[in-house]
Amino acid sequence: MVNTNGTSAPAVQVRTVTFPPPITRTTKGTATGNGAQVSTLTKAAVTCEAGLLIVNVAIANNGTGPETITSVTYNGNAMTSAATKSNTGSPLALNLTSCVLTTYYLAVTDETGDIVVTLSGDSWVALEAVNVTGLADNLPDQTVTAKDTLSLPDGDTTGTTTTSDEYVESACFVAIPTDDFWTWNGVTYGSQNVRLNKSFFLDSGYSILSSTGTVHATITDIVEAKAWLFVTVTFS
């Protein structure tokens, strides 16, 4: 390029700034034994975008166990437990003698496949799944678990996240004697409440973080929570 005075102008330098993609969350539905005690549970034909698949699984027993979650797979690939909580009693509440809540995860591509939960024996069981995109690592960062009976579900406080942009999954198993409504605090309601049977529920909340910090999820407004489990995981 030449200026009007005949001298050459300096070359223009163009710099490209690339921003990371936003973190997005897409619900992938639920599955349940519909009140029956079963040893396997399948959520068929789940389509994911490349990123992270998160599956919360809750099981409950009334004296036939305690049973355990043997494996969870997606499209034939084993999912990994990020955090788990269990409780046993004689009984804990509502003929409940044992319960387990686990959050599983798997880095996925653009693919479609079945989510399959295999148990050590017949149990009431339910799952719920979400697909998260835009994370840097697709790995767990901070975890916290809690349990109790005859109190409001309180998920306790996570450690401080190590990166600014993280996704939070908070799952709760709750045993209540009648239909009820409750309020999530500290995270956003995940809109995937599912029954294991008429008295046992699996529910979840979530948050998308843009700065480092801690997370403390709770549930309020339950008239009578007989027993509960809480699992919260942040993913980077």
Side-chain angles (χ1 to χ4, degrees):
M1 181 176 179
V2 179
N3 291 328
T4 55
N5 62 6
T7 61
S8 296
V12 177
Q13 293 184 341
V14 178
R15 293 183 178 180
T16 301
V17 179
T18 302
F19 294 95
I23 298 172
T24 65
R25 171 187 183 268
T26 305
T27 58
K28 291 301 172 181
T30 64
T32 177
N34 295 314
Q37 291 181 296
V38 297
S39 59
T40 60
L41 180 67
T42 300
K43 174 68 177 174
V46 176
T47 299
C48 290
E49 295 183 46
L52 188 67
L53 177 65
I54 300 172
V55 178
N56 300 314
V57 180
I59 68 172
N61 293 279
N62 65 342
T64 59
E67 307 299 348
T68 59
I69 304 168
T70 304
S71 67
V72 178
T73 62
Y74 171 65
N75 205 15
N77 298 304
M79 301 191 70
T80 302
S81 169
T84 189
K85 195 66 174 178
S86 62
N87 203 357
T88 58
S90 56
L92 292 167
L94 302 171
N95 295 319
L96 175 68
T97 56
S98 66
C99 50
V100 180
L101 173 62
T102 305
T103 295
Y104 291 86
Y105 70 97
L106 178 70
V108 295
T109 59
D110 293 338
E111 56 186 304
T112 299
D114 296 348
I115 299 171
V116 180
V117 177
T118 303
L119 309 178
S120 60
D122 289 346
S123 303
W124 290 298
V125 58
L127 71 81
E128 55 179 21
V130 296
N131 182 200
V132 179
T133 64
L135 293 172
D137 303 317
N138 292 322
L139 291 172
D141 179 18
Q142 302 297 316
T143 66
V144 66
T145 64
K147 66 179 180 181
D148 205 356
T149 58
L150 302 176
S151 66
L152 292 175
D154 188 327
D156 210 345
T157 304
T158 67
T160 301
T161 56
T162 58
T163 60
S164 56
D165 299 311
E166 297 202 9
Y167 173 83
V168 181
E169 182 74 9
S170 192
C172 185
F173 164 86
V174 61
I176 55 177
T178 59
D179 284 351
D180 201 355
F181 297 93
W182 48 79
T183 302
W184 281 87
N185 308 280
V187 293
T188 301
Y189 170 50
S191 302
Q192 292 201 116
N193 180 290
V194 60
R195 291 175 182 264
L196 286 73
N197 66 15
K198 68 177 183 178
S199 299
F200 305 150
F201 293 81
L202 170 62
D203 202 5
S204 65
Y206 74 97
S207 184
I208 296 174
L209 306 180
S210 58
S211 61
T212 58
T214 61
V215 180
H216 189 159
T218 65
I219 288 178
T220 56
D221 300 326
I222 290 182
V223 174
E224 192 175 13
K226 294 294 188 179
W228 55 265
L229 304 171
F230 234 116
V231 170
T232 299
V233 184
T234 77
F235 291 90
S236 61

